[in-house]
Amino acid sequence: MKKLAAILVLLLVSCICVNNARAEKISTFLDGKKYADGLFVYNLEDKDYVSLAEIRDLLNIPVSWDAVTQRVVFKTKRGKISLLVNNPRLIVNEEIRYLTYPPRLLNGGIIIPMQFLTDLLPEVLDYRINWDIPKRRLEITTKDKVIIGEEEDYTGVELSSHQLEKQDRDKTGRYLRKKRKTSTSGTYRIDLVVLDPGHGGRDPGAIGRKGLKEKDVVLDVANRVARKLKKKGIRVILTRSKDKFIPLDERTAIANRNRADLFLSIHANAAFSRRASGLETFYVSEAVDDHARAVAAIENSVLELERKRSRKKLDDTLHAILWDLAYTEFRVESIEWGEILMRELTKSVRGENRGVKPGPFYVLKGAQMPSLLVEIGFISNVVEENRLRKTSHREKIAGALADSILRYKKVYEKKAGFTR
């Protein structure tokens, strides 16, 4: 019964919807003929959406939906599109693409942005779909590749992966096609990293036997990493730049909203044994040993400080299902980066290499990019606490972390994208 209740809670949370959307029925034409029933367009925050269910029925597209992962998959003979609710990143025929604004939940159903309908869906349908904003008129052509009342060729805009478009429609109101970095093109670049100094504010993290606080150490290290990366031309965003409490899910949300290429959460370890020492890195997955579970439990304990209405306690089984289903997409890349990180870290800093391990870390679970949690030493060990207190030691750690990102960037950009 407890497991069933937990699942129901998750489904309820996933169906929280936006209620301030304005709906209007629009003129809809299919191959030049007016569609009698028409379609509803939902205007939310001055952005136009359409109902996934209505589009599925109108175009007879096979669509699947997973309520746990909130993943939607369109599959046709020409290809497949996979997207997540509330996330602008999606995969079109094995290429990572981006929407200007994400799919949403509305009154228990899914609404998708008109940009998806006009720019991306035609790639797996071979249709032409035109949305005339001033006339509030949708025209869909399934034959002869003719766009009714519009020229087929028009100028698009080419933007870097992290620019948000200020002008994403042309003078006629049509959405402009945008070239995005993709997972299979040779042009994919790692140019934005989100660094997450763990804990902060009312959450001090682990505290050493001589009083050193984890939150202070990791913030200093993160700032040092940021400075080194910026000198190399990498854009960096810190989830916190001062002693401030940030909820765990907001940390990865920052990375997702900014379409980061890598996410690194920096922590200092703690254990009951005073002799425990060394360096280790984790990627998100179900833990395979007791130590990983213990470390995850410590880092996840901050959930108790967050508002009850924002987080629901789910049992370990449900968490394992959720993580294994939803966040395997970048696991291979995370492990590869983690191995580079540990080589750089143990080369520069004294300490046992405890390896790259799976762990159920809440702070990583929402990241839609390769992501790691690194433990830069045991603050519960007096010897390592003393090292972490030294500026020179923190500088070495920061240098190793920055070098791991730069080395992974070099390796990654030689490839034709993610190793799927």
Side-chain angles (χ1 to χ4, degrees), residues 15-21 23 42 104-111:
C15 290
I16 294 174
C17 53
V18 183
N19 293 312
N20 60 347
Y42 302 89
R104 306 287 293 272
L105 288 169
L106 177 70
N107 298 330
I110 301 171
I111 54 175

Side-chain angles (χ1 to χ4, degrees), residues 89 98 162 192-194 255-256 258-262 368-369:
R89 189 190 299 249
Y98 293 90
H162 305 296
L192 175 61
V193 175
V194 170
N256 291 337
N258 288 279
R259 302 176 185 177
D261 300 306
L262 298 175
Q368 293 298 308
M369 70 287 298

Side-chain angles (χ1 to χ4, degrees), residues 279-396:
L279 310 150
E280 57 192 342
T281 296
F282 295 90
Y283 59 93
V284 68
S285 185
E286 179 67 1
V288 295
D289 59 43
D290 291 338
H291 171 70
R293 293 187 188 93
V295 175
I298 293 171
E299 302 300 355
N300 293 342
S301 63
V302 66
L303 291 171
E304 298 298 331
L305 298 178
E306 297 180 18
R307 297 179 181 178
K308 292 181 180 179
R309 65 179 179 83
S310 65
R311 291 290 128 211
K312 300 291 183 181
K313 287 185 177 180
L314 303 178
D315 61 43
D316 292 339
T317 302
L318 187 58
H319 271 304
I321 293 171
L322 178 65
W323 286 322
D324 284 341
L325 285 176
Y327 304 112
T328 59
E329 191 172 332
F330 299 103
R331 186 173 295 171
V332 172
E333 293 79 14
S334 298
I335 295 171
E336 183 178 8
W337 173 29
E339 290 172 347
I340 293 173
L341 187 153
M342 287 305 299
R343 284 199 299 269
E344 292 299 318
L345 197 55
T346 53
K347 184 171 66 177
S348 301
V349 180
R350 283 184 297 169
E352 177 190 352
N353 184 342
R354 300 171 67 96
V356 181
K357 307 172 183 179
F361 291 89
Y362 205 96
V363 72
L364 299 179
K365 87 172 187 66
Q368 293 298 308
M369 70 287 298
S371 55
L372 295 172
L373 184 147
V374 60
E375 299 280 3
I376 58 175
F378 278 78
I379 204 169
S380 55
N381 180 303
V382 174
V383 174
E384 294 198 352
E385 180 186 8
N386 288 335
R387 288 178 190 162
L388 290 170
R389 195 183 295 276
K390 295 178 181 178
T391 300
S392 58
H393 187 70
R394 296 182 190 183
E395 184 68 14
K396 288 180 181 179

Side-chain angles (χ1 to χ4, degrees), residues 82-202:
S82 176
L83 57 86
L84 293 172
V85 172
N86 292 325
N87 197 302
R89 189 190 299 249
L90 69 167
I91 300 174
V92 182
N93 292 331
E94 302 304 319
E95 293 186 359
I96 295 179
R97 306 284 281 277
Y98 293 90
L99 293 165
T100 306
Y101 44 97
R104 306 287 293 272
L105 288 169
L106 177 70
N107 298 330
I110 301 171
I111 54 175
I112 52 178
M114 193 65 79
Q115 179 198 4
F116 172 83
L117 201 63
T118 59
D119 291 4
L120 298 175
L121 189 57
E123 295 189 28
V124 297
L125 291 175
D126 201 24
Y127 292 175
R128 292 293 179 264
I129 302 176
N130 177 54
W131 170 229
D132 190 323
I133 296 174
K135 294 181 181 179
R136 312 303 284 172
R137 174 186 173 111
L138 185 69
E139 295 168 338
I140 303 169
T141 303
T142 66
K143 304 172 183 176
D144 301 325
K145 301 182 182 179
V146 176
I147 299 179
I148 301 173
E150 296 277 0
E151 296 180 3
E152 184 171 357
D153 296 326
Y154 58 92
T155 303
V157 293
E158 184 168 350
L159 299 168
S160 70
S161 61
H162 305 296
Q163 286 179 286
L164 296 179
E165 299 77 38
K166 294 181 180 178
Q167 181 68 35
D168 46 281
R169 297 170 181 169
D170 65 12
K171 293 181 180 179
T172 67
R174 179 172 47 187
Y175 288 101
L176 298 173
R177 292 188 185 272
K178 293 169 279 293
K179 291 184 179 180
R180 292 289 193 179
K181 65 183 180 182
T182 69
S183 63
T184 56
S185 72
T187 60
Y188 193 103
R189 297 184 61 82
I190 291 174
D191 53 24
L192 175 61
V193 175
V194 170
L195 299 176
D196 172 45
H199 309 281
R202 64 181 184 270

Side-chain angles (χ1 to χ4, degrees), residues 194-317:
V194 170
L195 299 176
D196 172 45
H199 309 281
R202 64 181 184 270
D203 172 26
I207 301 176
R209 299 181 187 279
K210 293 185 178 181
L212 186 63
K213 294 179 180 179
E214 178 184 1
K215 67 174 183 178
D216 298 328
V217 173
V218 298
L219 179 59
D220 180 62
V221 170
N223 280 317
R224 292 173 186 274
V225 176
R227 288 194 291 269
K228 293 177 185 298
L229 291 177
K230 288 175 182 177
K231 288 180 180 179
K232 297 295 184 178
I234 304 292
R235 294 178 57 209
V236 178
I237 294 175
L238 293 169
T239 57
R240 67 180 182 95
S241 57
K242 55 185 178 181
D243 187 16
K244 181 181 179 181
F245 179 79
I246 307 291
L248 292 182
D249 55 353
E250 176 59 20
R251 295 169 187 259
T252 41
I254 291 170
N256 291 337
R257 284 197 300 267
N258 288 279
R259 302 176 185 177
D261 300 306
L262 298 175
F263 177 81
L264 179 62
S265 190
I266 304 172
H267 293 257
N269 221 332
F272 290 111
S273 171
R274 297 186 181 190
R275 288 182 288 183
S277 64
L279 310 150
E280 57 192 342
T281 296
F282 295 90
Y283 59 93
V284 68
S285 185
E286 179 67 1
V288 295
D289 59 43
D290 291 338
H291 171 70
R293 293 187 188 93
V295 175
I298 293 171
E299 302 300 355
N300 293 342
S301 63
V302 66
L303 291 171
E304 298 298 331
L305 298 178
E306 297 180 18
R307 297 179 181 178
K308 292 181 180 179
R309 65 179 179 83
S310 65
R311 291 290 128 211
K312 300 291 183 181
K313 287 185 177 180
L314 303 178
D315 61 43
D316 292 339
T317 302

